[in-house]
Each structure stands twice: as C-alpha cells, then as structure tokens.
Amino acid sequence: MMRTPQPPDLIMAVLSVDLLVQILDRLPDSGDRKSFRLVSRGFLSAEALHRRALRVLRREFLPFLLRRYFALESLDLSACPALDDTALAAALHTAGGCQGLKAVCLARATGIRWRGVEVLVAACPRLEVVDLSHCVGIGDREAAALAAAGGLRELRLDKCLGITDVGLAKLAVGCAVLERLGIKWCMEISDLGIDLLSKKCRDLKVLDISYLKVTNFCLQSVSCLEKLEDLTMAGCSQINDEGLRFLNNGSNSLRSIDVSRCNNVSTWGLVSVIEGHKCLQKIVAGDCFPELVPLFLTKLSGLRDTLNVLKLDGFQVSATSLQIIGVHCKNLGEIGLGKCRGMTDECISELVTYRADLRTIDLTCCHSLTDNALVTIADHCKKLTCLLLESCSLITEKGLDHIGTCCTDLKKVDLTDCAVNDTALRCLSPCLELMVLKLGLCPSISDKGLVHIGSNFRKILELDLYRCTGIADGGLAAIAAGCKSLKKLNVCYCVRITDQGLKHLSFLEELSDLEMRGLVHVTSAGITAIAVGCKSLVELDMKRCYSVDDAGLWALSRCSEKLRQINISYCPVTGVGLCKLLGSLRCLQDAKLVHLTRVSVEGYEIALRASWDRLKKLKLLSGLRHFLSPGLLQMLRARGCRIRWVDKPESFCLPFSLLL
C-alpha cells in the first residue's frame, strides 16, 4: 500500500535545496530560522548546508553539532566553560575535521592547553581568527602550538597571563600574516617581544598592548609597522611623550590611538602624533593629562576632515577650547567630555554651534549643565543618536522636551541620577528609535512613566530602572506588553515589585539579563515564572531577595539551561537547592554565594564539587576558606576559577556542630 505524501514531502518535491538555501538568506531573524528547520528533514538539511556560524551552549552537544553543520566558518565555544583538550579533540575527530572553519572563539575556556590547541590547528587548516582571551592556562607552549596556523590573521590573547616574550616570538615567526593582535593584560610581555613582533608581522593593522609594562622602546619598534591603523595602549604607565614622538615619523597609516590612563603622557606627546599622522580618525585620551594646551587645539585643525571621534574625559575645559574644537574638527561625530572640569552651558553652546553633525555626546557627571545646554544641543544636533547625561542633576523635563522634539533619531539616552519624572519620559516619546534607556536613581518615575516607555519605545533592548522606587507591578505589565525585544532589565531595589510583576516579565522571551536585587516581596513563585518564560536568560542577580528559597533554585535548574551568571547572596536557600542549581546548569560560569546562612560547609563542598569544571568566578565569604577542603580549592584554581573572598565576619555564622 502506497504511503500518502505528507505536506513536507510535497514541499520538498517542489522546492530544491538550493532554493531553500536562498529562502534562508532572506530570514535574518534567528527565531524564523529555527521555525524553518523544524518544518521537515529536508528543511533541516538545507539549514545545515546554509549555516556558517554556530554558538555552542553545551559541551556534550559539540560532536553532534559539528557533524550536522559541516559547512561552518565560525565557531563560538565561549559558553562551554567545561571544555578541555580531550573533549575538543574528540569532537573534532568525530566530525572528521573542520576543513572550512575560519574563526574559533575559545574565550574563558580555561581547560584548553597545548594539546587542544595543537589538535584545533591540525583539524582546521583554513583558520584565520582565534580568540583565547581570559584563558589563564594559555602560555608559551600553547602559543607555540598556535604558531603552526600560518594563515592566522586575527588573534585575541587578552589576560593570558602565562604568555611571555618567548611565546609571542613563536607566534610572530609562525603567523607572519597576522593583521590584528590583542595582548591586553599579558603582563609578562616586554619591549623585547613587541620588537620581534614588529619585525616579523609587517602586516599588523590593529594592536592592543594596554596595561603592559612596556617602555618607550616599544613604540620605537611599533613605529616601523607601515600598515598599522589602530594602536591601543591604555594604562601603559611607563610610556611618556618621548615614546609618542617615535610615532611622529609617519611611517605607518595610523587612524586611531588610545592613550587613556597613560599617566606620563601629556598633550605635547599627542601633538607629535598628530603632526606625523594627518589622517587620524579617533583620539582617546581620557583621564590622561589635566588640561588642553593651545598648541594641541591648534594642531587639531590639521585633522579637520578626518577626525571623527575625540574623547577627553576628565580634562579641564573652557568655552574657548570647545569652540576651537568645534571650528576645526569638521568631521567630528562623537565627543566624550565626561567628568570634564569647567563644563558649562556656554561650553556646550560654543561646541555644537559649529558641530551640528555630532551623533554622540557624552556629558557624564558634568554637574553644572542645565536645560539651556539641552536646548542648544536640540537646536543644532538634529542627527544625535546617543546622549549621556548621568548625574547632570540640574536638567528637567523642559530641556528633555526640546531633545525629544528635535532629536528623534536617538538610540541611547542615559539619565541616571538626573531626578527626572514621568513628564520627562513623555517628552522623550517621539524618539521611536530608542534602544537603550538608563533611568537609575530616579525615584520620581512611577508606573505612569513606564506606560510611556511601553507605548512608544518598541525597539528598546536595554532598560535600567535601578532604585526607581516609585514603580510597581503595573509598570512592568506595560513594559512586557510593549517592549517585546527587551534583552536587559535592571529593577534592583524597586521594592514595590511582587511576584505578579515578575509574571508580567516572564512574557519577555528575549530577556537575557535580569538584575533584581533587593526585591523583598518576590518569592520563588516569581522566580519560577521567570525561569519558565524567559528561556533566553543568561545572567540573573537576585541578591537579597529574602523570600526566594530552594523552590526558586529548582525552577532555574530545570528551565534556565542557558544561565551563565547568577547571584543568590543572602537568599534563604539550603545546600540541597544549591547543589541542584550548580549541578544542573551546564553553562554556569560565575556564581556569587555570599551569606547563604542555611547552607552548611558540607553543602558548599558538594555543590562546588558538582560544578568545579565549569565555574570561572566565585564569590564566597572569607570564613569558608578555612573549612572547604584544600583539594576542592586546588581543583577550582587548576581550572582557572578565580575566587573572591569577602570579609564580612559580623554576618557570617557557622553552626557550632560544623566546627567540631
């Protein structure tokens, strides 16, 4: 008897795989692509053929996924904290290698050592991009294994503390076509390593040496890199103006330089850089030197057609200096003036009168600014997309009304600690493109203000309501109804919120980061609603939620499989709940477990042993250091887990029986 063709079979009879792949090209939304591959096996095969990038959340699925998605070009394993050499080698062997793979992210995969790197390089002959940042086990031997990837063009090694000049030398010799390198916080690298790197990797375009203990000699070597476009050297305290003068030779095509927090650099050093590079597009010099000298301001005229970003946080400024910047920097699109001393309404007026094309203005902690500054900005900067006004406490709804009316392209607004109210939010309602809104420490905002947000800001992705004590469950209902794309929400210490408010939030399927400290009326019922509804949740902070017990942790362990970071400090949970949570969440990397007074030492021991191979960060009471077994602590440290011991003995009480 012949089988009656089912609808998916009929579809496959009409649509070829090539046509299905073209359809996938026109589905940018991840949810739509997921629905597509669930139609039938044919659709699933087409999706496997089409997919070029993959982010793996669970180590145990890696072999299966590599076999299915054989056409991958980019693989992100940063969410697999328990990944080690054995698991990586087994997955690559099962998949028969990854011949087309070009980019691999292993950030924070602290179980990876030289054997894993060696297998990866052998299995992926087309490898061009590797990210090993924050892998504390990566050292010179791993660098030597990676050097076999001769086609490597981009490498991130930020905070790989074991790498020295020897490892960098091996990379420089083996990866001669390297174009982008990040070695931020690699404290064992010195001038010698940078010198050899500069001689061997002549194609370098982007270099980050922030916080290294390098000297001026390092910049003498870097100045010979003819193709260098972006140099970041934040916090290099041993470099001074003499070092920057080496960059004056103009032998490279420098477009961006960052000397922020370089305490020994002054405007004279930056002047020499500007003189040698007339095509600079970005200068970051925040918290570097105290004031702008006239010569520096004059030299900016040489960058009138190229300079696009200028960050001068912490400087002493005046109306005259900002007028000069406005007049000379015709192409300026972003300016950072946070914490600048001497900032007044007149300063803003002089700047924006000449620079109407500004798109980003950072005025964080410019306490003297009033509504007059906002009116001036609104009148001139019609294309503004980002306005940061944290702690500008003198502004009111009057100034924001002008901003809302004239700057309708705004995508990010920071009004933290500005004491704005519901009327101010109504004034911003014409800004329909808003994606990030920060309103922390604004207690005058109520549910009425959140209704304005939910009704108008449909594209919002991040909302900060930290200590907005006037909001309650009704406001969260408005947010959940109108802001369906919300990914990050902070409602810490909004003490009127109850379980009902969290039930409203549970309809936000895209929510990945929820901060809800100090919600004293929330119980495990509210946490359960979040766990069941918010399937994308990655970070959860419920410190001081005094009514959340084991039932909430059980719900999270069952439903929040993507959770990577959690804070349950001061919650009345027991060792059973803690063990269930840490043992079940396979993606968990960061846990803050302070003042869990109902958890015994044995409870901590069992829970941490259940997750020792995944955890990268732990926060515990210092009193526990003396009671947890040395073997457990050694295992955690061996896998790169950083334990932060906090000393709060007055709140730390172990049952007497446990001390015997």
Side-chain angles (χ1 to χ4, degrees):
M1 183 175 179
M2 294 184 64
R3 183 176 65 90
T4 303
Q6 298 300 308
D9 299 323
L10 295 175
I11 294 175
M12 291 305 299
V14 177
L15 301 177
S16 67
V17 173
D18 289 341
L19 190 55
L20 291 175
V21 169
Q22 292 184 42
I23 293 173
L24 274 168
D25 285 334
R26 291 161 174 79
L27 294 178
D29 183 73
S30 60
D32 292 339
R33 291 196 298 272
K34 181 177 180 180
S35 299
F36 178 95
R37 66 175 176 262
L38 293 176
V39 173
S40 72
R41 290 183 179 180
F43 278 56
L44 182 62
S45 299
E47 197 263 348
L49 183 64
H50 175 270
R51 184 182 280 271
R52 294 293 181 267
L54 179 68
R55 187 167 190 264
V56 182
L57 299 179
R58 305 260 309 255
R59 181 187 73 172
E60 53 268 34
F61 295 147
L62 182 58
F64 167 74
L65 292 171
L66 290 182
R67 286 196 305 270
R68 169 179 283 180
Y69 299 111
F70 51 86
L72 287 178
E73 295 182 355
S74 177
L75 180 63
D76 186 351
L77 300 173
S78 61
C80 298
L83 190 69
D84 56 19
D85 291 346
T86 303
L88 181 60
L92 292 172
H93 175 73
T94 303
C98 297
Q99 300 298 314
L101 202 61
K102 296 181 179 180
V104 177
C105 178
L106 289 164
R108 300 186 187 279
T110 53
I112 297 297
R113 298 295 189 271
W114 67 271
R115 289 187 178 88
V117 175
E118 196 173 65
V119 171
L120 176 67
V121 171
C124 308
R126 300 178 61 190
L127 208 56
E128 295 181 359
V129 180
V130 174
D131 186 350
L132 289 166
S133 53
H134 299 276
C135 290
V136 295
I138 297 296
D140 291 341
R141 193 168 187 180
E142 288 73 21
L146 191 58
L152 208 61
R153 298 186 179 277
E154 181 175 344
L155 179 59
R156 293 294 302 273
L157 296 170
D158 299 345
K159 221 161 192 178
C160 291
L161 304 179
I163 291 184
T164 70
D165 290 334
V166 175
L168 186 60
K170 291 183 180 296
L171 285 169
V173 172
C175 307
V177 296
L178 205 60
E179 295 179 357
R180 306 171 70 92
L181 177 63
I183 47 177
K184 179 179 179 181
W185 286 111
C186 293
M187 304 301 292
E188 298 301 317
I189 292 177
S190 68
D191 294 337
L192 185 61
I194 301 298
D195 183 52
L196 183 59
L197 175 74
S198 302
K199 290 176 180 177
K200 296 296 183 180
C201 300
R202 308 298 295 180
D203 292 333
L204 267 178
K205 295 179 181 179
V206 179
L207 179 61
D208 187 349
I209 57 172
S210 297
Y211 302 100
L212 300 193
K213 297 177 181 178
V214 291
T215 68
N216 295 332
F217 178 73
C218 158
L219 292 189
Q220 185 176 12
S221 304
V222 168
S223 66
C224 299
L225 293 170
E226 297 180 356
K227 298 182 181 180
L228 189 65
E229 297 178 0
D230 187 333
L231 176 60
T232 302
M233 41 182 279
C236 292
S237 57
Q238 297 184 41
I239 290 178
N240 56 32
D241 294 344
E242 182 180 349
L244 290 183
R245 277 193 281 272
F246 286 123
L247 300 177
N248 188 23
N249 58 26
S251 63
N252 50 43
S253 51
L254 202 61
R255 297 289 184 273
S256 171
I257 186 166
D258 184 346
V259 294
S260 56
R261 300 181 185 87
C262 292
N263 300 330
N264 292 314
V265 167
S266 74
T267 48
W268 300 103
L270 270 182
V271 165
S272 63
V273 176
I274 294 173
E275 288 176 341
H277 302 278
K278 300 300 183 182
C279 295
L280 274 175
Q281 298 173 1
K282 181 177 180 179
I283 297 176
V284 181
D287 303 307
C288 190
F289 37 88
E291 59 182 341
L292 300 170
V293 299
L295 180 60
F296 172 77
L297 296 171
T298 303
K299 291 296 180 180
L300 288 179
S301 62
L303 306 175
R304 64 173 63 242
D305 297 322
T306 62
L307 190 64
N308 183 254
V309 178
L310 181 61
K311 296 187 178 182
L312 303 171
D313 300 332
F315 280 73
Q316 176 73 40
V317 298
S318 65
T320 302
S321 61
L322 291 182
Q323 180 190 45
I324 294 173
I325 291 173
V327 170
H328 289 326
C329 304
K330 293 185 176 181
N331 198 44
L332 196 63
E334 176 180 348
I335 189 163
L337 299 169
K339 300 180 182 179
C340 281
R341 301 180 301 280
M343 181 65 68
T344 63
D345 294 343
E346 183 185 2
C347 295
I348 296 299
S349 178
E350 293 294 342
L351 173 67
V352 302
T353 298
Y354 297 96
R355 284 282 56 80
D357 290 334
L358 280 172
R359 286 175 169 77
T360 298
I361 302 178
D362 184 355
L363 300 172
T364 300
C365 295
C366 294
H367 305 293
S368 299
L369 296 182
T370 70
D371 289 331
N372 293 331
L374 297 191
V375 171
T376 307
I377 291 172
D379 289 342
H380 292 88
C381 304
K382 309 291 186 182
K383 299 179 182 179
L384 197 66
T385 60
C386 178
L387 181 60
L388 308 182
L389 298 167
E390 179 182 349
S391 295
C392 295
S393 55
L394 299 181
I395 66 172
T396 68
E397 59 270 21
K398 176 185 175 182
L400 292 174
D401 185 46
H402 282 77
I403 292 292
T405 301
C406 300
C407 306
T408 55
D409 291 335
L410 273 171
K411 290 182 171 59
K412 180 176 181 179
V413 175
D414 188 347
L415 296 171
T416 302
D417 197 21
C418 289
V420 296
N421 54 25
D422 297 336
T423 304
L425 295 180
R426 179 180 58 78
C427 293
L428 291 176
S429 58
C431 303
L432 303 180
E433 301 298 315
L434 202 63
M435 300 174 73
V436 178
L437 180 59
K438 297 189 176 185
L439 301 168
L441 297 170
C442 295
S444 298
I445 293 176
S446 70
D447 288 348
K448 183 178 179 181
L450 298 195
V451 170
H452 292 307
I453 294 175
S455 301
N456 297 286
F457 306 145
R458 303 286 181 172
K459 297 182 180 180
I460 197 163
L461 301 177
E462 179 180 343
L463 179 61
D464 186 349
L465 300 170
Y466 175 78
R467 290 191 185 274
C468 291
T469 52
I471 69 171
D473 298 338
L476 296 188
I479 296 297
C483 306
K484 295 296 186 180
S485 299
L486 194 66
K487 295 182 180 297
K488 185 173 183 179
L489 177 64
N490 186 339
V491 290
C492 291
Y493 302 106
C494 299
V495 293
R496 296 175 60 192
I497 293 175
T498 70
D499 288 339
Q500 187 59 46
L502 294 196
K503 290 177 182 177
H504 293 314
L505 294 181
S506 68
F507 290 98
L508 296 173
E509 296 181 357
E510 300 298 318
L511 191 66
S512 61
D513 186 340
L514 176 60
E515 297 181 62
M516 44 172 286
R517 292 187 181 191
L519 301 192
V520 294
H521 298 300
V522 166
T523 70
S524 292
I527 298 300
T528 300
I530 291 294
V532 172
C534 303
K535 295 296 187 181
S536 300
L537 200 63
V538 173
E539 297 184 18
L540 176 63
D541 187 342
M542 51 184 191
K543 177 180 178 181
R544 295 186 185 277
C545 291
Y546 299 122
S547 299
V548 175
D549 56 18
D550 286 354
L553 300 193
W554 278 75
L556 291 171
S557 66
R558 289 194 308 269
C559 304
S560 300
E561 59 183 23
K562 295 182 181 180
L563 206 61
R564 281 189 291 166
Q565 180 174 320
I566 193 167
N567 187 350
I568 57 173
S569 299
Y570 297 88
C571 293
V573 299
T574 70
V576 175
L578 182 62
C579 186
K580 178 65 175 177
L581 182 77
L582 298 190
S584 300
L585 297 178
R586 313 307 296 177
C587 295
L588 192 65
Q589 299 183 27
D590 186 337
K592 296 178 176 63
L593 312 173
V594 176
H595 285 301
L596 303 183
T597 55
R598 297 187 183 182
V599 179
S600 66
V601 172
E602 183 182 9
Y604 274 108
E605 186 88 17
I606 295 173
L608 293 176
R609 285 186 180 277
S611 56
W612 68 273
D613 61 338
R614 301 187 301 275
L615 290 174
K616 298 295 171 276
K617 289 183 180 180
L618 265 177
K619 187 175 182 181
L620 300 168
L621 274 176
S622 58
L624 278 171
R625 187 200 301 255
H626 308 294
F627 299 102
L628 293 175
S629 65
L632 171 62
L633 298 179
Q634 185 177 357
M635 282 195 307
L636 288 166
R637 293 193 183 100
R639 290 306 294 259
C641 181
R642 289 184 292 133
I643 305 177
R644 180 184 173 192
W645 302 100
V646 293
D647 188 14
K648 297 181 179 179
E650 70 280 359
S651 302
F652 179 55
C653 297
L654 287 174
F656 180 74
S657 60
L658 295 173
L659 303 180
L660 298 179

